[in-house]
PDB file of all heavy atoms in Angstrom:
ATOM      1  N   ARG A 187     161.205  72.906  65.209  1.00  0.00           N
ATOM      2  CA  ARG A 187     162.523  72.337  64.956  1.00  0.00           C
ATOM      3  C   ARG A 187     162.535  70.840  65.302  1.00  0.00           C
ATOM      4  O   ARG A 187     163.167  70.046  64.576  1.00  0.00           O
ATOM      5  CB  ARG A 187     163.588  73.082  65.774  1.00  0.00           C
ATOM      6  CG  ARG A 187     163.881  74.483  65.247  1.00  0.00           C
ATOM      7  CD  ARG A 187     165.154  75.027  65.872  1.00  0.00           C
ATOM      8  NE  ARG A 187     165.048  75.166  67.324  1.00  0.00           N
ATOM      9  CZ  ARG A 187     164.620  76.270  67.929  1.00  0.00           C
ATOM     10  NH1 ARG A 187     164.237  77.315  67.204  1.00  0.00           N
ATOM     11  NH2 ARG A 187     164.573  76.335  69.241  1.00  0.00           N
ATOM     12  N   VAL A 188     161.860  70.483  66.365  1.00  0.00           N
ATOM     13  CA  VAL A 188     161.764  69.043  66.725  1.00  0.00           C
ATOM     14  C   VAL A 188     161.074  68.280  65.606  1.00  0.00           C
ATOM     15  O   VAL A 188     161.511  67.205  65.193  1.00  0.00           O
ATOM     16  CB  VAL A 188     160.971  68.876  68.054  1.00  0.00           C
ATOM     17  CG1 VAL A 188     160.619  67.403  68.286  1.00  0.00           C
ATOM     18  CG2 VAL A 188     161.770  69.430  69.210  1.00  0.00           C
ATOM     19  N   ARG A 189     159.993  68.831  65.079  1.00  0.00           N
ATOM     20  CA  ARG A 189     159.266  68.151  64.027  1.00  0.00           C
ATOM     21  C   ARG A 189     160.094  68.002  62.759  1.00  0.00           C
ATOM     22  O   ARG A 189     160.123  66.958  62.133  1.00  0.00           O
ATOM     23  CB  ARG A 189     157.970  68.919  63.707  1.00  0.00           C
ATOM     24  CG  ARG A 189     157.000  68.183  62.791  1.00  0.00           C
ATOM     25  CD  ARG A 189     155.885  69.086  62.340  1.00  0.00           C
ATOM     26  NE  ARG A 189     156.317  70.019  61.344  1.00  0.00           N
ATOM     27  CZ  ARG A 189     156.390  69.734  60.037  1.00  0.00           C
ATOM     28  NH1 ARG A 189     156.035  68.549  59.567  1.00  0.00           N
ATOM     29  NH2 ARG A 189     156.818  70.649  59.170  1.00  0.00           N
ATOM     30  N   GLN A 190     160.785  69.091  62.371  1.00  0.00           N
ATOM     31  CA  GLN A 190     161.541  69.054  61.158  1.00  0.00           C
ATOM     32  C   GLN A 190     162.759  68.131  61.204  1.00  0.00           C
ATOM     33  O   GLN A 190     163.266  67.658  60.176  1.00  0.00           O
ATOM     34  CB  GLN A 190     161.972  70.466  60.760  1.00  0.00           C
ATOM     35  CG  GLN A 190     160.826  71.365  60.373  1.00  0.00           C
ATOM     36  CD  GLN A 190     161.255  72.764  60.006  1.00  0.00           C
ATOM     37  OE1 GLN A 190     162.443  73.123  60.120  1.00  0.00           O
ATOM     38  NE2 GLN A 190     160.325  73.586  59.553  1.00  0.00           N
ATOM     39  N   ALA A 191     163.218  67.854  62.424  1.00  0.00           N
ATOM     40  CA  ALA A 191     164.377  66.974  62.582  1.00  0.00           C
ATOM     41  C   ALA A 191     164.008  65.495  62.489  1.00  0.00           C
ATOM     42  O   ALA A 191     164.882  64.641  62.381  1.00  0.00           O
ATOM     43  CB  ALA A 191     165.049  67.247  63.933  1.00  0.00           C
ATOM     44  N   ILE A 192     162.719  65.172  62.510  1.00  0.00           N
ATOM     45  CA  ILE A 192     162.270  63.784  62.470  1.00  0.00           C
ATOM     46  C   ILE A 192     162.439  63.214  61.061  1.00  0.00           C
ATOM     47  O   ILE A 192     162.111  63.880  60.082  1.00  0.00           O
ATOM     48  CB  ILE A 192     160.812  63.665  62.932  1.00  0.00           C
ATOM     49  CG1 ILE A 192     160.701  64.029  64.414  1.00  0.00           C
ATOM     50  CG2 ILE A 192     160.266  62.266  62.684  1.00  0.00           C
ATOM     51  CD1 ILE A 192     159.282  64.181  64.886  1.00  0.00           C
ATOM     52  N   ARG A 193     162.923  62.011  60.950  1.00  0.00           N
ATOM     53  CA  ARG A 193     163.050  61.315  59.682  1.00  0.00           C
ATOM     54  C   ARG A 193     162.117  60.110  59.710  1.00  0.00           C
ATOM     55  O   ARG A 193     162.327  59.187  60.489  1.00  0.00           O
ATOM     56  CB  ARG A 193     164.482  60.883  59.424  1.00  0.00           C
ATOM     57  CG  ARG A 193     165.461  62.041  59.269  1.00  0.00           C
ATOM     58  CD  ARG A 193     165.154  62.842  57.998  1.00  0.00           C
ATOM     59  NE  ARG A 193     166.034  64.026  57.889  1.00  0.00           N
ATOM     60  CZ  ARG A 193     165.691  65.231  58.258  1.00  0.00           C
ATOM     61  NH1 ARG A 193     164.489  65.445  58.812  1.00  0.00           N
ATOM     62  NH2 ARG A 193     166.529  66.245  58.109  1.00  0.00           N
ATOM     63  N   LEU A 194     161.113  60.149  58.872  1.00  0.00           N
ATOM     64  CA  LEU A 194     160.136  59.058  58.837  1.00  0.00           C
ATOM     65  C   LEU A 194     160.797  57.801  58.259  1.00  0.00           C
ATOM     66  O   LEU A 194     161.602  57.901  57.311  1.00  0.00           O
ATOM     67  CB  LEU A 194     158.915  59.432  58.020  1.00  0.00           C
ATOM     68  CG  LEU A 194     158.072  60.600  58.536  1.00  0.00           C
ATOM     69  CD1 LEU A 194     156.941  60.912  57.560  1.00  0.00           C
ATOM     70  CD2 LEU A 194     157.500  60.266  59.907  1.00  0.00           C
ATOM     71  N   THR A 239     157.287  65.376  71.283  1.00  0.00           N
ATOM     72  CA  THR A 239     157.404  63.912  71.230  1.00  0.00           C
ATOM     73  C   THR A 239     158.036  63.370  72.510  1.00  0.00           C
ATOM     74  O   THR A 239     157.795  62.216  72.872  1.00  0.00           O
ATOM     75  CB  THR A 239     158.242  63.490  70.011  1.00  0.00           C
ATOM     76  OG1 THR A 239     159.470  64.194  70.010  1.00  0.00           O
ATOM     77  CG2 THR A 239     157.481  63.804  68.728  1.00  0.00           C
ATOM     78  N   TYR A 258     156.558  57.632  70.848  1.00  0.00           N
ATOM     79  CA  TYR A 258     156.669  58.063  69.449  1.00  0.00           C
ATOM     80  C   TYR A 258     157.780  57.283  68.741  1.00  0.00           C
ATOM     81  O   TYR A 258     157.587  56.823  67.597  1.00  0.00           O
ATOM     82  CB  TYR A 258     156.977  59.556  69.396  1.00  0.00           C
ATOM     83  CG  TYR A 258     156.962  60.139  67.981  1.00  0.00           C
ATOM     84  CD1 TYR A 258     155.754  60.336  67.336  1.00  0.00           C
ATOM     85  CD2 TYR A 258     158.126  60.479  67.347  1.00  0.00           C
ATOM     86  CE1 TYR A 258     155.712  60.854  66.054  1.00  0.00           C
ATOM     87  CE2 TYR A 258     158.115  61.003  66.067  1.00  0.00           C
ATOM     88  CZ  TYR A 258     156.905  61.198  65.424  1.00  0.00           C
ATOM     89  OH  TYR A 258     156.872  61.729  64.140  1.00  0.00           O
ATOM     90  N   LEU A 262     157.375  54.830  65.457  1.00  0.00           N
ATOM     91  CA  LEU A 262     158.154  54.929  64.230  1.00  0.00           C
ATOM     92  C   LEU A 262     158.865  53.615  63.888  1.00  0.00           C
ATOM     93  O   LEU A 262     159.112  53.349  62.699  1.00  0.00           O
ATOM     94  CB  LEU A 262     159.221  56.032  64.348  1.00  0.00           C
ATOM     95  CG  LEU A 262     158.727  57.490  64.425  1.00  0.00           C
ATOM     96  CD1 LEU A 262     159.917  58.453  64.422  1.00  0.00           C
ATOM     97  CD2 LEU A 262     157.781  57.817  63.275  1.00  0.00           C
ATOM     98  N   PRO A 350     156.813  64.588  58.292  1.00  0.00           N
ATOM     99  CA  PRO A 350     156.049  64.397  59.535  1.00  0.00           C
ATOM    100  C   PRO A 350     154.817  65.286  59.545  1.00  0.00           C
ATOM    101  O   PRO A 350     154.808  66.363  58.976  1.00  0.00           O
ATOM    102  CB  PRO A 350     157.064  64.808  60.604  1.00  0.00           C
ATOM    103  CG  PRO A 350     158.404  64.600  59.992  1.00  0.00           C
ATOM    104  CD  PRO A 350     158.228  64.926  58.524  1.00  0.00           C
ATOM    105  N   PHE A 357     150.229  66.688  64.583  1.00  0.00           N
ATOM    106  CA  PHE A 357     151.510  66.212  65.097  1.00  0.00           C
ATOM    107  C   PHE A 357     151.430  66.004  66.620  1.00  0.00           C
ATOM    108  O   PHE A 357     150.891  66.870  67.333  1.00  0.00           O
ATOM    109  CB  PHE A 357     152.631  67.226  64.781  1.00  0.00           C
ATOM    110  CG  PHE A 357     153.980  66.836  65.277  1.00  0.00           C
ATOM    111  CD1 PHE A 357     154.749  65.936  64.579  1.00  0.00           C
ATOM    112  CD2 PHE A 357     154.490  67.365  66.470  1.00  0.00           C
ATOM    113  CE1 PHE A 357     156.011  65.573  65.041  1.00  0.00           C
ATOM    114  CE2 PHE A 357     155.730  67.015  66.919  1.00  0.00           C
ATOM    115  CZ  PHE A 357     156.485  66.116  66.220  1.00  0.00           C
ATOM    116  N   PRO A 358     151.916  64.874  67.133  1.00  0.00           N
ATOM    117  CA  PRO A 358     152.745  63.884  66.440  1.00  0.00           C
ATOM    118  C   PRO A 358     152.001  62.740  65.756  1.00  0.00           C
ATOM    119  O   PRO A 358     152.560  62.037  64.948  1.00  0.00           O
ATOM    120  CB  PRO A 358     153.628  63.319  67.586  1.00  0.00           C
ATOM    121  CG  PRO A 358     152.760  63.467  68.806  1.00  0.00           C
ATOM    122  CD  PRO A 358     151.929  64.698  68.602  1.00  0.00           C
TER     123      PRO A 358
END
Side-chain angles (χ1 to χ4, degrees):
R187 288 194 297 270
V188 169
R189 190 190 74 85
Q190 292 180 356
I192 293 170
R193 295 294 176 263
L194 296 177
T239 53
Y258 187 74
L262 292 185
F357 180 81

